[in-house]
């Protein structure tokens, strides 16, 4: 049930205001089905707000935002989108399996579907590789394990669109690789559309398409290869910096008192 | 969405909008499971009221009539206070842990969530009231004229009112610190004005007027009716309806504070 253009998400003039600050200003972009789209940019550039707008939990959204052929936030979308917030949102005082049990019965309620729920739960526990911790309290798990529980919840019910807010933050390299392999498996085998945010530019290479963001605006929308070729850069990180410089130069030319951004990559310098 | 024949997982066309008994029950079961991992909280919820009544009985050792009236009132007040505290903290945790945002992005109705909480804590309240009422009537010699079942009914409605107030208030608390401070702010004035310390008719008229619009006053009045009359009187019925009405009203207000879209 895509829209006529076949896109999973279409945004036109997407604008979000929080307080008196414009967090997203007039974004136009498209997310293609069955692909992994990376949403990249420095911390605080509006990635999480964009994702919240997509899943319909963000207030004061204007412009056009169509998700799986429906306006974002439409009630019929709630069982078709899996959403993982940046901080793991699971019950610390329940075991991994009890967490999944509850969220599964919200998605697939009723006694008739108990068997289907059991299958889903077994599958997602394997997907995130937590079988050995299935009966541990979520609060007792490490940070990386808890974020995988949170991801497992989003995989319940086989959503058509997965919205993942920095799912690999704080994970060790092996786990990060495993998760990216899982994302590719979901896209290739189940045709899941994935929108994944990160402020770590080296993850960009693993995406099919990229949305580069900075200060609530979209710098570029393309494949990693095309971005590198267009900016004659070795890596997506360099391409990003090139685009930032270009945008700054353009801003300086158009207005003398353009506010300069001191360091868009602070997060990576830690 | 393609439909297949006899698909057991067929999704209703408008998921999440119709109230769902299955989701409500699942929510209640989840809340109780969370509590089960916290046996100390359960013990405190169930035993502290009993301990207070026990203390009270011997504080008024020389005047059993005073114990009768205060004890009966407290049987209505304890469930309200306990459930208020437990619910306000539990829903605040739900808000701050991000699970509320996740649930509201899923096909869960706000009513399902609230009813689930009310059901789970209502069950705890029944156990608490059974223990406290049983102890007072059979071990501490609380002397009531009416039926113990009516005492239990009022206690249950009070617990629901406490759940409702806690849910509502948690929307205005940004932290557990603030949530706990709402207890003295919301509960203590009602405690002072509900007629526990002196008959409401003896209060300064303005205070009496205020006490007339506070739900706890009716909870205590209802308990007093059971204490003094063998059958459910008209006044008792009115008091019970007021408490139940307040609980429903505040629950609806609480539901309104759950927003799917937040800034």
């Amino acid at each position: 049930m895509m829209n006529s253009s076949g896109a999973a998400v279409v945004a036109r003039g997407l604008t979000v205001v929080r307080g008196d600050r414009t967090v997203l200003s007039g974004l136009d972009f498209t997310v293609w089905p069955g692909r992994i789209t990376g949403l990249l940019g420095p911390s605080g550039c509006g990635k999480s707000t964009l994702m919240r707008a997509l899943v319909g939990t963000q207030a004061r959204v204007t412009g056009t935002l169509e998700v799986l052929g429906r306006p974002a936030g439409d009630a019929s979308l709630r069982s078709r989108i899996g959403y993982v917030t940046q901080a793991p949102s699971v019950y610390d005082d329940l075991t991994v399996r009890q967490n999944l049990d509850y969220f599964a019965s919200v998605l697939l309620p009723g006694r008739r579907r108990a068997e289907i729920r059991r299958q889903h739960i077994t599958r997602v526990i394997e997907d995130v590789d937590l079988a050995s911790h299935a009966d541990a309290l979520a609060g007792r798990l490490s940070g990386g394990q808890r974020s995988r529980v949170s991801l497992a919840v989003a995989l319940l019910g086989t959503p058509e669109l997965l919205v993942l807010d920095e799912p690999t933050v704080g994970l060790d390299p092996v786990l990060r690789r495993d998760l990216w392999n899982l994302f590719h498996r979901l896209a290739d085998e189940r045709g899941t559309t994935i929108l994944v945010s990160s402020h770590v530019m080296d993850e960009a290479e693993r995406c099919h398409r990229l949305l580069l963001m900075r200060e609530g605006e979209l710098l570029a929308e393309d494949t990693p290869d095309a971005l590198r070729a267009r900016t004659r850069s070795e890596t997506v990180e360099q391409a990003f910096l090139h685009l930032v410089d270009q945008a700054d130069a353009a801003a300086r030319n158009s207005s003398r008192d353009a506010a300069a951004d001191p360091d868009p990559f602070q997060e990576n310098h830690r | 969405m393609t439909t297949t024949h006899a698909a057991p997982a067929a999704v209703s066309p408008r998921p999440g909008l119709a109230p769902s008994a299955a989701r409500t029950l699942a929510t209640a079961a989840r809340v109780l499971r969370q509590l089960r991992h916290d046996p100390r909280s359960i013990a405190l919820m169930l035993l502290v009221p009993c301990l207070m009544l026990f203390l009270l009985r011997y504080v008024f050792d020389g005047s059993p009539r005073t114990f009768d009236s205060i004890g009966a009132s407290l049987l209505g007040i304890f469930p309200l206070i306990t459930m208020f505290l437990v619910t306000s903290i539990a829903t605040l945790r739900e808000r701050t842990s991000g699970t509320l945002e996740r649930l509201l992005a899923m096909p869960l109705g706000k009513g399902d969530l609230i009813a689930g909480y009310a059901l789970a804590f209502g069950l705890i309240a029944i156990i608490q009231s059974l223990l406290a009422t049983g102890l007072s009537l059979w071990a501490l010699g609380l002397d009531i004229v009416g039926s113990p079942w009516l005492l239990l009914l009022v206690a249950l409605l009070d617990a629901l009112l406490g759940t409702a107030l806690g849910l509502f208030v948690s929307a205005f608390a940004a932290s557990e610190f603030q949530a706990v401070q709402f207890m003295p702010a919301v509960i203590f004035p009602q405690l002072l004005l509900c007629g526990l310390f002196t008959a409401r008719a003896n209060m300064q008229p303005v205070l009496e007027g205020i006490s007339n619009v506070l739900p706890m006053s009716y909870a205590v009045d209802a308990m007093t009716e059971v204490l003094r009359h063998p059958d459910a009187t008209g006044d008792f019925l009115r008091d019970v309806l007021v408490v139940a009405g307040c609980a429903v009203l505040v629950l609806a207000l609480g539901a309104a504070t759950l927003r799917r879209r937040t800034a």
Side-chain angles (χ1 to χ4, degrees):
Chain A
M1 216 204 270
M2 303 294 155
N3 77 345
S4 48
S5 68
V9 178
V10 180
R12 293 290 170 258
L14 173 64
T15 300
V16 173
V17 179
R18 292 178 77 174
D20 50 5
R21 211 165 71 85
T22 304
V23 187
L24 301 178
S25 44
L27 302 192
D28 297 328
F29 64 86
T30 308
V31 173
W32 297 100
R35 312 257 77 192
I36 301 178
T37 303
L39 179 60
L40 279 94
S43 281
C45 71
K47 299 188 294 288
S48 298
T49 307
L50 191 156
M51 296 190 139
R52 283 168 41 85
L54 262 179
V55 299
T57 56
Q58 180 65 48
R60 301 178 71 188
V61 180
T62 51
T64 311
L65 184 58
E66 212 179 84
V67 181
L68 302 175
R70 316 280 314 169
D74 192 274
S76 70
L77 289 173
R78 284 183 205 137
S79 52
R80 301 169 65 197
I81 305 179
Y83 171 42
V84 183
T85 49
Q86 208 165 334
S89 43
V90 292
Y91 298 101
D92 279 347
D93 43 8
L94 290 181
T95 68
V96 174
R97 198 182 296 279
Q98 289 172 340
N99 265 291
L100 292 167
D101 256 341
Y102 174 54
F103 288 112
S105 42
V106 169
L107 270 176
L108 307 159
R111 198 166 293 186
R112 284 182 304 125
R113 288 189 268 188
E115 179 54 27
I116 297 172
R117 283 202 296 275
R118 208 186 51 74
Q119 289 166 7
H120 275 262
I121 291 168
T122 311
R123 191 200 71 212
V124 299
I125 287 179
E126 277 167 19
D127 280 345
V128 300
D129 195 20
L130 276 176
S132 54
H133 292 84
D135 295 311
L137 281 183
R140 297 263 169 84
L141 299 177
S142 74
Q145 288 167 335
R146 283 174 75 235
S147 53
R148 279 186 284 154
V149 182
S150 198
L151 175 63
V153 174
L155 296 177
L156 288 167
T158 323
E160 296 160 61
L161 171 66
L162 266 182
V163 178
L164 311 173
D165 199 350
E166 310 230 357
T168 59
V169 114
L171 297 186
D172 67 78
V174 179
L175 225 50
R176 261 170 67 183
R177 183 201 59 199
D178 290 351
L179 278 188
W180 276 100
N181 288 343
L182 169 67
F183 299 159
H184 278 276
R185 238 178 28 243
L186 292 173
D188 297 344
E189 292 168 16
R190 296 179 202 162
T192 309
T193 308
I194 299 180
L195 181 70
V196 52
S197 76
S198 177
H199 64 260
V200 188
M201 289 287 162
D202 58 358
E203 297 202 315
E205 315 283 348
R206 301 172 185 269
C207 302
H208 297 122
R209 290 185 65 82
L210 295 176
L211 301 172
L212 294 190
M213 272 184 79
R214 180 175 174 255
E215 293 180 345
E217 288 177 12
L218 211 57
L219 280 180
E221 175 185 5
D222 218 328
T223 64
D225 285 341
L227 271 174
R228 280 193 305 262
R230 178 145 66 92
T231 56
R232 290 186 207 86
S233 312
E234 293 271 300
T235 62
V236 172
E237 175 153 354
Q238 282 169 359
F240 179 82
L241 290 172
H242 182 90
L243 290 166
V244 167
D245 290 342
Q246 219 172 36
D248 282 349
R252 264 196 304 277
N253 286 344
S254 60
S255 94
R256 283 290 123 195
D257 51 8
D261 182 40
D263 184 3
F265 270 90
Q266 313 178 0
E267 283 297 316
N268 282 352
H269 288 176
R270 274 190 197 149
Chain B
M1 206 170 292
T2 52
T3 47
T4 46
H5 298 287
V11 181
S12 64
R14 307 188 71 194
L17 292 183
S20 149
R23 291 188 176 107
T24 301
L25 287 175
T27 303
R30 184 263 297 174
V31 174
L32 290 174
R33 269 180 184 173
Q34 283 179 287
L35 266 180
R36 217 174 58 193
H37 288 291
D38 186 3
R40 193 177 302 171
S41 286
I42 299 184
L44 286 168
M45 284 161 79
L46 297 184
L47 296 183
V48 169
C50 294
L51 186 69
M52 290 299 123
L53 285 164
F54 185 78
L55 267 177
L56 204 68
R57 164 68 185 80
Y58 293 101
V59 167
F60 293 110
D61 204 24
S63 52
R65 304 254 46 90
T66 316
F67 174 68
D68 285 347
S69 75
I70 294 191
S73 303
L74 282 181
L75 281 179
I77 292 170
F78 279 138
L80 201 158
I81 295 182
T82 323
M83 293 309 136
F84 174 84
L85 269 179
V86 171
T87 317
S88 58
I89 301 281
T91 40
L92 183 74
R93 278 164 66 185
E94 187 105 66
R95 283 174 208 270
T96 51
S97 69
T99 45
L100 182 67
E101 179 173 342
R102 162 164 255 158
L103 285 175
L104 292 181
M106 289 173 101
L108 180 78
K110 297 173 191 174
D112 299 339
L113 184 68
I114 289 182
Y117 265 102
L119 203 62
F121 289 142
L123 207 65
I124 300 283
I126 290 182
I127 301 172
Q128 188 199 57
S129 304
L130 276 175
L131 283 175
T133 312
L135 177 84
S136 308
L137 292 183
W138 290 296
L140 301 179
L142 183 80
D143 198 8
I144 58 161
V145 179
S147 154
W149 293 109
L150 294 181
L151 275 190
L152 205 63
L153 171 73
V154 179
L156 184 62
L157 289 174
D158 288 346
L160 271 183
L161 179 63
T163 299
L165 284 171
L167 197 80
F168 178 64
V169 152
S170 81
F172 304 98
S175 67
E176 266 125 334
F177 265 141
Q178 291 181 9
V180 173
Q181 294 309 319
F182 271 114
M183 217 275 278
V186 174
I187 302 291
F188 279 19
Q190 299 199 59
L191 206 57
L192 289 176
L193 297 179
C194 70
L196 180 65
F197 298 102
T198 176
R200 294 198 289 128
N202 299 342
M203 291 177 190
Q204 208 269 337
V206 175
L207 290 187
E208 193 194 344
I210 296 175
S211 83
N212 282 336
V213 296
L214 296 177
M216 198 192 277
S217 310
Y218 295 89
V220 168
D221 284 359
M223 285 303 197
T224 312
E225 288 295 308
V226 181
L227 181 72
R228 299 209 179 119
H229 303 281
D231 293 307
T233 59
D235 281 351
F236 174 81
L237 213 61
R238 183 206 62 195
D239 295 337
V240 161
L241 284 176
V242 169
V243 174
C246 281
V248 171
L249 184 73
V250 181
L251 274 180
L253 285 175
T257 68
L258 300 176
R259 302 219 175 264
R260 288 195 195 267
R261 286 182 183 272
T262 49

